[in-house]
Amino acid sequence: MALKDSDWVPVNELTPEPILVTGQQPSPNSATTTTSKAAQVSRYSAFNVSPKDPRYLNNPNVLFATDKDGNLMPAQKADGGIDFKEAKEKQDLDGYFKMVTWPVTTNRDGSACTVSPEVYNPKSAGLVGIDDSMSAVQRDTNLSAGWTINSAFYKYDVPRPNDPTITKIENDADAGLDASGSVYTTKLDPVVSGECTPSKDAARPNKVTLYGEDPSNPIVEGQGANGDDLLKSSDTWGFRLGEAACEVDTSSKQGGGVPGAYRTRTSCIRRRILATSTVATGAIMPG
C-alpha cells in the first residue's frame, strides 16, 4: 500500500487486493550448522519471486503479484523486483510505500486458530486489507491489525504548508492589529490567532509555533529555513511563546481549498511575535 494525498490506499498496479500466500511450513529450528541454517531459510522463508524460478522450486511460499489470469501486475518485475516508479506515476501516489502482512494462524491439525482472531487470524475478523470505500477509522483499524515488514520511498516529499499569518492579538479592547501590524496590550498573556494551512490528517495536525522577537535584535530574514539551528545566536533568535494546532476554518484564506486557523494564549509583553508552522513530520517552516 502507499500514501496518496496523505491517506493510505492499495497500490493498484501491484496489489489492489490482499494476496493470500500459502505453503509456509513451521520451521523445525533444528539447524546446528551455518549450512543447514541456510537450507532452512531457503525452504521456510517467504520470497517475492516467481514460483517458476528454479532457485525456489522447492519453496511453495512465494509472493508474486499477478492478476486473476496469472499475468504479472504492471509494477511487478519478472525478477521479483517492484517498479515503484510505475506504481507512483500511474496512480499519482505520494511516493511512500509499505508492505503490510496479516497472519493466518492455524492449529497443528490445520484447523483455524480461534484465539484472539484480531491478533492471530485478522481475516476471520474482517481486518485484512484496505480499500477506498473504507472509513478512516476502519482503515486505521485494519492497518493496526497487520504487521509492517518493509517500506520504500520513491520521490517522496512532504507537502509543505503555507507560512502562517497573525491576524489578531487580543488586547483590552479586543481590537485588531494596527496599520503597522502591531497592538499594545496590558495583558501578560494575550491570545494570538491567525490563519494557517491545516493537515490533511486530523490525527496528525500541523502546528503553529509563536516566537517572541527582541525589536533591537530582529530575526534575520531566511533564518527560518529547514536545517538551520534555532539556537545560533541568542541575540538574533527569538524565544518560544506558545504553540497551537492548525484547525480547519472555512473563514480562513489559507489552505488551498482547505483553509485553517489557530488560536493560542501566550505569555509575553512588549515583544514582537512571529509565527512558524510545523508539519506533522516535524519539519520547521519559515514564518
Side-chain angles (χ1 to χ4, degrees):
M1 58 194 60
L3 281 182
K4 181 173 182 177
D5 296 331
S6 299
D7 288 326
W8 289 109
V9 298
V11 179
N12 295 338
E13 302 299 301
L14 187 67
T15 51
E17 297 179 353
I19 296 176
L20 178 62
V21 179
T22 60
Q24 187 169 2
Q25 305 174 44
S27 173
N29 196 26
S30 58
T32 57
T33 66
T34 302
T35 302
S36 58
K37 175 60 69 176
Q40 282 194 4
V41 168
S42 176
R43 182 168 179 78
Y44 299 107
S45 298
F47 297 90
N48 185 40
V49 295
S50 170
K52 298 179 182 179
D53 190 317
R55 295 173 299 172
Y56 301 96
L57 292 179
N58 294 324
N59 186 342
N61 188 37
V62 295
L63 168 63
F64 209 55
T66 60
D67 61 18
K68 57 184 177 55
D69 298 321
N71 301 314
L72 289 180
M73 293 298 288
Q76 175 68 74
K77 294 182 178 181
D79 62 359
I82 297 174
D83 190 341
F84 292 107
K85 180 178 184 293
E86 172 88 5
K88 173 183 168 66
E89 294 180 352
K90 286 291 184 65
Q91 200 175 341
D92 194 24
L93 301 172
D94 295 348
Y96 177 14
F97 301 83
K98 68 178 179 179
M99 184 177 183
V100 180
T101 182
W102 290 267
V104 180
T105 307
T106 59
N107 297 315
R108 185 178 293 273
D109 61 4
S111 61
C113 175
T114 58
V115 178
S116 301
E118 68 281 359
V119 176
Y120 298 106
N121 201 3
K123 184 178 181 181
S124 65
L127 300 176
V128 170
I130 62 174
D131 58 55
D132 296 335
S133 65
M134 288 182 178
S135 66
V137 173
Q138 183 63 52
R139 190 181 295 115
D140 289 343
T141 299
N142 284 24
L143 291 176
S144 297
W147 302 343
T148 299
I149 60 176
N150 211 339
S151 59
F153 302 90
Y154 178 77
K155 293 186 177 180
Y156 176 61
D157 189 24
V158 178
R160 301 184 178 187
N162 296 328
D163 293 343
T165 58
I166 297 173
T167 58
K168 187 177 183 181
I169 301 176
E170 298 178 11
N171 62 8
D172 298 328
D174 197 24
L177 306 181
D178 61 23
S180 67
S182 303
V183 63
Y184 288 92
T185 175
T186 59
K187 292 183 178 180
L188 296 178
D189 57 348
V191 174
V192 178
S193 57
E195 297 179 345
C196 51
T197 304
S199 170
K200 295 180 180 179
D201 184 354
R204 301 171 180 82
N206 291 346
K207 295 182 179 180
V208 175
T209 304
L210 299 175
Y211 291 92
E213 178 189 68
D214 182 351
S216 62
N217 294 286
I219 295 177
V220 178
E221 180 70 22
Q223 284 185 320
N226 286 349
D228 281 354
D229 185 353
L230 290 177
L231 299 175
K232 282 183 177 177
S233 170
S234 59
D235 292 331
T236 60
W237 286 85
F239 48 92
R240 181 170 169 163
L241 300 174
E243 184 178 84
C246 179
E247 300 178 350
V248 174
D249 184 347
T250 56
S251 64
S252 170
K253 298 177 182 178
Q254 280 207 35
V258 186
Y262 69 91
R263 185 173 185 271
T264 184
R265 186 175 296 278
T266 65
S267 56
C268 70
I269 188 168
R270 287 189 288 186
R271 287 290 186 272
R272 288 197 290 182
I273 303 175
L274 292 87
T276 181
S277 66
T278 307
V279 296
T281 57
I284 302 299
M285 304 301 297

